[in-house]
């Protein structure tokens, strides 16, 4: 090629023509004779008509051997270059002519030539400049390609990362339009190297869509050679058959982009044949374009991934209060991640600090260990892992634990010492707590009367694999002594059935609870409560059993003792001579023993359900219920003498002791009672009372005689006087009436005394009655006043208070008062014998408050020898001579007052004895 240019230039006498130079030039300086240098030439006449064509040119133009004469040169040329040869050859002389000839196949033959005169004719010599032209075209399009590549790269590199994909699609469009590619796509490797995926694509409207964004291409592309372009030609056999599906069975063209030795991206051209459609671009240009596009995208992706990585790391470090550290050996300093520096409470900007200062942050107890490990890491590369506490100002705070890890990183010549610090306080503190709890639990189990065991399951048999440490303290056996069937030997022979049954039940039902006796090493048996549970795997197959032995020897023995004791009590109750029963507050019997059943003339079995109230009179029942109602959890006991109307008997008197049973809320739920038949005793006592009463009457006889005698005397005097008057014939009616009235009064008086004596002498009523105690006082005074007067004893009777009622028998209270006054009289009379100047008196007065009424009998008889005070209520105790005193008066009186719910007491007052009868006032 340089040769051609040289020829041309030499001929034209100038340097190679510039493109923009005008076509017509001044005359050449040297005009050589018409010598033929070029193979291609034509002969022209002076008007420019072709008269001859050299054979090579004819061949090149594909013309026949015989030239049709008289055709102008213009007729052979492409329209574009025909302009150059307007006019006659003479005008062209001295100019360089670029002539493009038309070839019959439509191709163009590029030539450059000049004309030379040849006599009258002209010789047009031509050189083939097709290759020169082509070279220039190629250079141009390569330049364009380079420019395009630059633009693509710039766009992709400069856009915002969020728009990267969109911009890539735009650049694909740009590229497609530049080279008229119907379908164009960029495929990137999938993360993890599992095939390829379309990242962005462009599709011309006229072409079918081959690819879509995000489409997976599989791994077919992996087989391609990474360093060259690949053309798939569907029309011809191709080795890349496997790719045809990815290209819709159309022609295709692939460009790899590789980095660090492997392909990272493919640029795919669909319906495109590069060699045919862009012949001017070589492999290098294509690769260049691909790299211009894919390179920046991959870089930006890597950059973004890196940034994300950093952000994740920062977040992680922030969240965990942790971070990396690096030891800088040159300065003996430690550099910390900013988050870590913050966690450690270092001031704002100081994330590089001297090693010593770093160590100062650590608790002294852990500091030396850390320092030593760090030394090993630095000097010998021993990887480091240690848990240390931070130095803390407030020792009350829970410690902050850090896990420090370090290793040496060698890359090339560089050797770095770096690691991580992680706050593990939560875990560490939990670990410490768990360890403490575990130790406590171990301790507890070891010191408790419980053994935890594990039984391993092996084809239907269960053998111990573990016992808690409490085994030996409890039973004396070691774990080994309980293994492999040995345990069975220790089970009490009587309990072996339970033992075998337990294993079977555990396997069958998965859970068991039983008791049996197990021998300890000393040969003593322990009652064990055994509770076990079978654990199964996911498939329901037994894996092992976990169980617990609880030593219940004491409890079992205690239960046994209770049972025995209950049995004893049952016998005691059933065989007791006393009546024992339980009944509800509405008097329905729950239980009664044989003695009670005998009294009620039935069997013990018939007793439950019977109402006790059936045997009471209405009054007794009311009194009984009132008494039960007064029971409280604080005072649950009550005793009374109750009266029943039993079948076949008139009245039965029972001494009856009740004990209330209360529920948690203090409500009475049941009463337990013990009773004793007191009828005989009571009858005897009544007889005694009666005898005592009679004795009292006897003692009163003198007084009573006086009492009767007095009215008799008055009457006798009246009768004598009346008779005397009548014998004198005096019949003064007024006088006689007066005397008769006096006699009547005295008769009434005597009748009253006699009447009262009759009443008093009667036996007492069975049931107690309500009465006014003052009635008893009046009755007593009626009988005694005259007698006392006769003996010179003054009666001092006090004013009674408001009227009240007491419960009992009025005659019995009278009996008590008579006893006391007669005793006082006797004491006074015996004292008067020794001291005649004594003026004897007996005082009887009444005192009362809301609940109690007192009848007080006091005298001035000198009182009772203090040594005898305690004994005077004893039956048959008397200081009176034999035949005079019975010693029953006070004893009977005491009993009567007690029967009335009251109390009789004595004391020595200033001048004599003072007896006080205290009686509960009855209220409705
Ligand atoms: P008796 O009157 O038959 O002796 P009591 O039981 O009535 O039997 O009395 C017992 C004793 O108590 C009397 O013997 C007497 O010594 C003593 N006694 C009773 N009352 C008085 C009194 N008012 N002053 C002194 N002694 C008394």
């Amino acid at each position: 090629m340089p040769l051609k240019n040289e020829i041309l230039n030499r001929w034209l006498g100038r340097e190679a023509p510039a493109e923009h130079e005008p076509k017509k030039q001044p005359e050449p300086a040297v005009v050589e004779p018409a010598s033929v240098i070029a193979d291609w030439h034509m002969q022209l006449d002076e008007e420019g008509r072709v008269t001859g064509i050299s054979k090579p040119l004819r061949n090149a133009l594909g013309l026949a051997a015989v030239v049709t004469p008289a055709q102008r040169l213009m007729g052979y040329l492409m329209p574009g270059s025909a302009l150059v040869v307007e006019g006659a050859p003479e005008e062209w002389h001295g100019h360089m002519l670029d002539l493009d000839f038309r070839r019959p196949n439509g191709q163009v033959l590029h030539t450059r030539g000049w004309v030379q005169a040849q006599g009258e004719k002209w010789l047009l010599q031509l050189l083939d400049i097709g290759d020169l032209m082509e070279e220039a075209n190629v250079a141009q399009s390569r330049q364009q390609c380079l420019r395009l590549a630059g633009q693509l790269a710039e766009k992709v590199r400069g856009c915002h990362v969020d728009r990267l994909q969109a911009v890539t699609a735009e650049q694909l469009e740009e590229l497609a339009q530049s080279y008229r590619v119907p379908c164009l796509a960029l495929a990137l490797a999938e993360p993890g190297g599992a095939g390829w995926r379309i990242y962005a694509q462009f599709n011309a409207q006229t072409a079918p869509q081959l690819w879509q964004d995000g489409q997976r291409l599989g791994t077919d592309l992996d087989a391609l050679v990474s360093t060259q372009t690949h053309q798939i030609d569907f029309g011809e056999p191709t080795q890349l058959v496997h790719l045809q599906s990815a290209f819709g069975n159309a022609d295709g063209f692939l460009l790899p982009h590789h980095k660090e030795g492997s392909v990272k991206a493919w640029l795919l051209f669909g319906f495109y044949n590069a060699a045919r459609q862009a012949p001017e671009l070589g492999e290098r240009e294509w690769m260049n374009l691909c790299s211009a596009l894919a390179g920046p995208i991959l870089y930006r992706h890597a950059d973004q991934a890196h940034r994300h990585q950093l952000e994740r790391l920062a977040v992680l470090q922030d969240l965990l209060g942790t971070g990396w550290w690096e030891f800088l050996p040159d300065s003996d300093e430690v550099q910390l991640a900013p988050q870590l520096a913050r966690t450690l409470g270092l001031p704002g900007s100081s994330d590089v600090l001297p090693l010593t200062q770093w160590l100062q942050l650590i608790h002294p107890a852990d500091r030396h260990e850390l320092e030593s490990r760090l030394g090993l890491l630095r000097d010998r590369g021993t990887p480091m892992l240690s848990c240390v506490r931070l130095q803390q100002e407030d020792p009350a705070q829970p410690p902050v634990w850090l896990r420090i890890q370090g290793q040496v990183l060698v890359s090339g010549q560089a050797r770095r010492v770096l690691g991580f610090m992680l706050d593990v306080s939560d875990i560490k503190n939990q670990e410490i707590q768990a360890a403490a709890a575990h130790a406590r639990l171990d301790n507890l189990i070891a010191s408790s009367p419980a053994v935890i065991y594990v039984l391993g399951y092996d084809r239907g048999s269960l053998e111990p694999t573990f016992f808690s440490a409490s085994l030996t303290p409890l039973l004396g056996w070691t774990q080994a002594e309980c293994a492999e069937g040995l345990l069975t030997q220790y089970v009490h022979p009587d309990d072996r059935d339970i033992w075998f049954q337990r294993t079977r039940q555990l396997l069958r039902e998965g859970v068991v609870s039983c008791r049996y006796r197990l021998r300890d090493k000393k040969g003593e048996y322990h009652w064990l409560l055994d509770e076990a549970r079978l654990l199964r795997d996911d498939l329901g197959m037994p894996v092992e059993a976990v169980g617990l032995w609880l030593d219940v020897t004491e409890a079992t023995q205690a239960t046994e003792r209770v049972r025995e004791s209950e049995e004893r009590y049952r016998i005691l109750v059933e065989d007791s001579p006393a009546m024992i029963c339980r009944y509800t507050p509405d008097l329905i019997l729950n239980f009664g023993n044989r003695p009670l059943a005998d009294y009620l003339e039935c069997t013990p079995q018939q007793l439950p359900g019977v109402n006790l109230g059936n045997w009471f009179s209405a009054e007794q029942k009311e009194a009984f219920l009132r008494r039960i109602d007064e029971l409280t959890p604080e005072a649950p006991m009550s005793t009374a003498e109750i009266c029943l109307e039993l079948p076949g008997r008139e009245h039965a008197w029972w001494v009856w002791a009740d004990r209330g049973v209360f529920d948690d809320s203090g409500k009475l739920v049941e009463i337990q009672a013990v009773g004793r038949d007191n009828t005989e005793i009571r009858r005897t006592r009544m007889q005694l009372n009666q005898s005592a009463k009679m004795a009292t009457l006897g003692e009163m006889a003198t007084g009573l005689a006086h009492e009767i005698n007095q009215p008799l005397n008055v009457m006798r005097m009246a009768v004598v006087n009346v008779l005397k008057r009548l014998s004198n014939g005096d019949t003064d009616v007024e006088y006689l009436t007066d005397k008769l009235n006096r006699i009547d009064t005295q008769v009434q008086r005597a009748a009253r005394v006699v009447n009262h004596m009759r009443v008093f002498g009667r036996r007492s009523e069975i049931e107690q009655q309500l009465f006014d105690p003052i009635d008893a006082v009046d009755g007593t005074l009626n009988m005694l006043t005259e007698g006392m007067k006769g003996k010179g004893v003054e009666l001092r009777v006090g004013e009674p208070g408001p009227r009240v009622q007491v419960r009992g028998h009025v005659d019995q209270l009278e009996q008590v008062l008579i006893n006391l006054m007669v005793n006082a009289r006797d004491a006074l009379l015996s004292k008067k014998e020794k001291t005649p100047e004594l003026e004897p008196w007996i005082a009887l007065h009444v005192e009362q408050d809301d609940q109690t009424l007192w009848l007080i009998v006091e005298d001035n008889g000198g009182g009772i020898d203090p040594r005898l005070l305690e004994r005077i209520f004893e039956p048959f105790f008397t200081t009176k001579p034999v035949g005079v005193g019975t010693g029953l008066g006070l004893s009977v009186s005491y009993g009567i007052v007690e029967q009335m719910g009251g109390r009789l007491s004595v004391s020595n007052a200033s001048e004599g004895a003072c007896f006080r009868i205290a009686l509960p006032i009855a209220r409705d």
Side-chain angles (χ1 to χ4, degrees):
M1 208 65 68
L3 180 73
K4 244 182 249 175
N5 277 334
E6 204 178 303
I7 295 170
L8 286 168
N9 287 333
R10 191 152 35 93
W11 185 83
L12 288 168
R14 57 181 168 92
E15 295 301 309
E19 269 178 52
H20 50 80
E21 243 172 299
K23 294 261 171 160
K24 302 213 169 164
Q25 294 286 321
E27 290 292 303
V30 181
V31 178
E32 292 188 23
S35 56
V36 180
I37 20 175
D39 285 347
W40 293 350
H41 45 84
M42 281 183 160
Q43 267 183 337
L44 307 171
D45 62 13
E46 63 268 32
E47 282 173 20
R49 275 190 289 266
V50 177
T51 54
I53 300 173
S54 70
K55 196 175 173 199
L57 181 58
R58 231 177 19 237
N59 287 343
L61 291 176
L63 296 175
V66 182
V67 176
T68 321
Q71 184 169 357
R72 288 182 64 96
L73 176 57
M74 263 186 199
Y76 293 92
L77 299 178
M78 298 295 289
S81 63
L83 290 173
V84 181
V85 285
E86 271 184 357
E90 194 176 5
E91 294 167 40
W92 314 335
H93 184 236
H95 295 284
M96 195 161 69
L97 305 172
D98 279 349
L99 300 176
D100 295 341
F101 285 88
R102 205 169 39 224
R103 293 170 94 172
N105 57 6
Q107 284 182 344
V108 180
L109 188 68
H110 299 284
T111 65
R112 183 167 283 177
W114 63 95
V115 286
Q116 280 176 294
Q118 232 180 14
E120 299 224 323
K121 299 217 171 182
W122 292 87
L123 180 69
L124 172 64
Q125 297 206 72
L126 295 164
L127 293 173
D128 180 1
I129 60 162
D131 49 356
L132 279 182
M133 291 286 284
E134 200 176 326
E135 205 176 326
N137 270 342
V138 167
Q140 198 181 358
S141 37
R142 287 191 178 174
Q143 217 161 5
Q144 268 174 9
C145 172
L146 216 58
R147 239 190 338 264
L148 181 62
Q151 279 168 11
L152 294 182
E154 197 182 314
K155 285 275 171 49
V156 175
R157 216 179 274 132
C159 72
H160 190 277
V161 70
D162 292 347
R163 290 206 65 241
L164 187 59
Q165 199 167 6
V167 170
T168 307
E170 283 166 23
Q171 298 319 301
L172 286 176
E173 182 176 359
E174 184 80 33
L175 185 62
Q177 280 166 358
S178 299
Y179 294 100
R180 287 186 293 283
V181 188
C183 292
L184 192 55
L186 180 69
L188 300 183
E190 292 236 58
W196 301 88
R197 188 198 279 263
I198 300 294
Y199 175 68
Q201 53 86 30
F202 167 76
N203 206 74
Q205 282 171 354
T206 50
Q209 183 147 20
L210 269 188
W211 301 297
Q212 272 155 2
D213 286 348
Q215 180 184 338
R216 285 214 165 91
L217 294 184
T219 52
D220 289 348
L221 298 176
D222 290 348
L224 299 178
V225 181
S226 63
T227 51
Q228 63 183 51
T229 59
H230 298 271
Q231 179 66 51
I232 311 170
D233 205 334
F234 189 55
E236 292 165 24
T238 169
Q239 291 169 326
L240 307 176
V241 181
H242 59 282
L243 285 180
Q244 283 180 356
S245 66
F247 281 82
N249 287 336
D251 285 358
F253 180 57
L254 292 102
L255 297 177
H257 169 73
H258 51 91
K259 205 174 127 192
E260 291 158 5
S262 63
V263 184
K264 295 287 191 286
W266 288 95
L267 198 53
L268 312 175
F269 295 66
F271 305 108
Y272 195 71
N273 189 320
R276 260 203 297 277
Q277 289 171 260
E280 69 275 20
L281 294 191
E283 175 142 338
R284 216 182 55 203
E285 280 71 38
W286 284 122
M287 294 294 244
N288 204 10
L289 271 177
C290 180
S291 297
L293 192 64
I297 292 174
L298 290 176
Y299 170 77
R300 296 201 66 174
H301 277 180
D303 183 50
Q304 197 183 17
H306 181 62
R307 233 187 14 256
H308 284 172
Q309 188 71 17
L310 283 181
E311 281 165 5
R312 270 182 229 126
L313 192 67
V315 169
L316 185 77
Q317 297 190 140
D318 258 349
L319 287 179
L320 295 179
T322 183
W324 52 263
W325 56 267
E326 180 163 3
F327 179 59
L328 312 170
D330 293 340
S331 56
D332 222 22
E333 282 178 324
V334 178
Q335 183 173 5
L336 303 173
Q339 295 89 346
L340 184 57
R342 270 205 303 280
T343 308
L344 296 179
L346 296 175
S349 54
S350 60
D351 50 358
V352 176
L353 70 169
L355 178 64
T356 47
Q357 198 181 327
W358 187 53
L359 288 171
Q360 283 304 315
L361 297 172
I362 309 299
H363 194 281
D366 301 329
R367 198 177 294 152
H368 292 303
E369 183 188 333
L370 180 65
E371 193 174 6
S372 146
R373 285 182 187 277
L374 202 63
L376 287 174
L377 171 68
R378 182 188 51 200
D379 303 335
R380 305 173 56 173
T382 318
M384 181 181 89
L385 168 61
S386 81
C387 278
V388 300
R389 275 155 293 186
L390 274 191
Q391 172 84 298
Q392 257 172 313
E393 288 191 358
D394 181 3
Q397 290 291 313
V400 176
W401 282 92
L402 290 176
R403 178 188 163 106
I404 303 188
Q405 239 171 323
Q407 66 183 57
V408 171
L409 199 72
V410 181
S411 78
Q413 291 290 309
R415 188 169 176 282
R416 300 168 67 192
V417 178
L418 33 83
F420 240 80
M421 278 171 96
L422 180 67
D423 185 342
V424 291
S425 306
D426 285 357
I427 302 166
K428 198 75 187 175
N429 288 334
Q430 272 170 20
E431 211 174 86
I432 292 170
Q433 277 170 13
H438 202 265
R440 278 200 297 276
L441 202 65
D442 273 352
N443 215 350
L444 197 72
I445 292 173
S447 59
S448 76
V451 176
I452 293 173
Y453 62 79
V454 178
L455 305 176
Y457 174 84
D458 183 20
R459 284 161 297 168
S461 90
L462 289 170
E463 280 301 330
T465 54
F466 166 80
F467 285 97
S468 64
S470 45
L471 173 69
T472 311
L474 190 72
L475 295 173
W477 302 115
T478 63
Q479 190 145 336
E481 286 166 331
C482 292
E484 289 297 319
L486 287 172
L487 216 48
T488 308
Q489 297 176 14
Y490 309 150
V491 177
H492 193 288
D494 292 350
D495 296 344
R496 294 263 164 93
D497 277 349
I498 301 175
W499 169 254
F500 294 125
Q501 176 64 25
R502 158 213 180 249
T503 309
R504 280 197 294 273
Q505 190 186 343
L506 183 55
L507 287 174
R508 202 173 52 238
E509 292 171 22
V511 51
V512 72
S513 170
C514 60
R515 272 166 201 255
Y516 46 81
R517 279 160 289 178
L518 201 73
R519 183 156 51 83
D520 67 12
K521 204 163 186 176
K522 287 191 228 144
E524 283 171 18
Y525 280 100
H526 293 247
W527 274 102
L528 295 183
L529 172 66
D530 185 350
E531 300 217 325
R533 183 172 282 273
L534 192 64
L535 306 180
R536 298 172 188 275
D537 64 11
D538 294 348
L539 301 173
M541 297 303 290
V543 179
E544 60 182 20
V546 183
L548 182 89
W549 274 339
L550 212 61
D551 189 339
V552 290
T553 310
E554 275 183 28
T556 308
Q557 286 170 352
T559 314
E560 185 61 18
R561 280 198 295 275
V562 167
R563 204 186 55 72
E564 283 169 6
S565 130
E566 268 186 2
E567 179 64 17
R568 280 199 297 275
Y569 278 113
R570 195 182 59 75
I571 293 167
L572 203 66
V573 165
E574 282 178 4
D575 295 356
S576 163
M579 293 171 278
I580 296 174
C581 66
R582 297 199 327 262
Y583 59 91
T584 53
D586 51 2
L587 307 187
I588 306 290
L589 281 171
N590 289 333
F591 163 82
N593 67 351
R594 177 158 296 284
L596 181 67
D598 288 346
Y599 276 109
L600 301 183
E601 296 190 339
C602 63
T603 64
Q605 290 73 32
Q606 289 170 323
L607 283 178
V610 167
N611 193 328
L612 270 184
N614 293 347
W615 320 112
F616 293 138
S617 69
E619 276 184 350
Q620 278 281 327
K621 187 172 177 182
E622 192 202 321
F624 193 91
L625 286 173
R626 195 171 340 106
R627 203 170 46 81
I628 295 300
D629 202 37
E630 282 165 8
L631 298 180
T632 62
E634 292 74 32
M637 304 280 296
S638 162
T639 305
E641 191 170 42
I642 58 172
C643 178
L644 292 92
E645 290 156 12
L646 290 184
R649 300 170 61 168
E650 206 175 325
H651 281 100
W653 289 90
W654 291 352
V655 174
W656 194 253
D658 288 301
R659 191 189 199 290
V661 177
F662 298 85
D663 67 8
D664 290 345
S665 61
K667 185 172 163 251
L668 180 67
V669 287
E670 197 186 67
I671 300 103
Q672 299 175 346
V674 180
R676 172 172 56 80
D677 186 1
N678 207 37
T679 315
E680 280 310 310
I681 296 172
R682 189 176 166 101
R683 192 169 292 145
T684 317
R685 196 173 62 210
M686 298 285 265
Q687 277 166 4
L688 188 68
N689 280 1
Q690 193 57 29
S691 323
K693 207 189 259 179
M694 288 306 149
T696 308
L697 274 178
E699 277 178 46
M700 285 163 57
T702 3
L704 279 172
H706 187 81
E707 203 78 18
I708 306 283
N709 219 15
Q710 190 68 11
L712 283 181
N713 280 336
V714 173
M715 284 190 284
R716 226 189 89 231
M717 289 290 291
V719 170
V720 168
N721 286 340
V722 168
L723 284 175
K724 202 193 263 176
R725 279 282 183 112
L726 283 177
S727 61
N728 292 342
D730 186 354
T731 52
D732 182 352
V733 175
E734 201 173 312
Y735 174 82
L736 291 177
T737 309
D738 177 51
K739 287 296 167 200
L740 287 174
N741 275 342
R742 180 173 294 182
I743 293 168
D744 185 40
T745 310
Q746 293 307 316
V747 168
Q748 278 180 28
R749 182 175 155 199
R752 235 189 359 256
V753 172
V754 170
N755 256 347
H756 194 86
M757 272 172 56
R758 236 187 27 229
V759 172
F760 179 74
R762 270 213 302 260
R763 284 173 174 273
S764 303
E765 293 284 329
I766 299 284
E767 303 265 345
Q768 291 188 332
Q769 317 285 334
L770 285 178
F771 67 93
D772 186 344
I774 302 301
D775 292 346
V777 173
D778 289 347
T780 307
L781 292 177
N782 263 340
M783 288 199 280
L784 295 183
T785 311
E786 286 304 322
M788 290 291 177
K789 247 190 227 165
K791 299 272 181 197
V793 176
E794 182 197 352
L795 282 187
R796 300 178 181 174
V797 180
E799 276 302 307
R803 313 309 293 267
V804 292
Q805 298 220 297
V806 297
R807 192 176 289 276
H809 304 279
V810 66
D811 59 301
Q812 291 185 353
L813 184 57
E814 244 172 61
Q815 190 183 348
V816 173
L817 287 171
I818 290 169
N819 271 334
L820 297 181
M821 291 181 71
V822 169
N823 278 345
R825 183 200 65 192
D826 292 348
L828 288 167
L829 294 183
S830 79
K831 184 155 187 211
K832 183 141 178 113
E833 277 177 17
K834 292 168 206 158
T835 28
E837 68 277 11
L838 178 76
E839 288 177 8
W841 53 258
I842 299 173
L844 171 60
H845 48 256
V846 186
E847 287 178 10
Q848 65 189 78
D849 67 10
D850 285 351
Q851 287 158 13
T852 314
L853 176 127
W854 289 274
L855 298 173
I856 301 160
V857 179
E858 194 182 337
D859 59 60
N860 63 342
I864 304 159
D865 183 345
R867 285 168 299 177
L868 303 180
L869 264 181
E870 287 198 355
R871 300 191 52 206
I872 58 168
F873 293 115
E874 286 175 13
F876 310 112
F877 176 83
T878 177
T879 56
K880 295 172 188 169
V882 183
V884 178
T886 59
L888 281 176
L890 285 180
S891 146
V892 166
S893 299
Y894 190 91
I896 288 171
V897 175
E898 203 174 43
Q899 282 289 302
M900 294 176 74
R903 220 179 105 73
L904 175 61
S905 60
V906 64
S907 61
N908 279 323
S910 53
E911 294 177 61
C914 176
F915 286 85
R916 296 170 72 87
I917 306 166
L919 294 173
I921 293 173
R923 43 199 81 245
D924 297 325

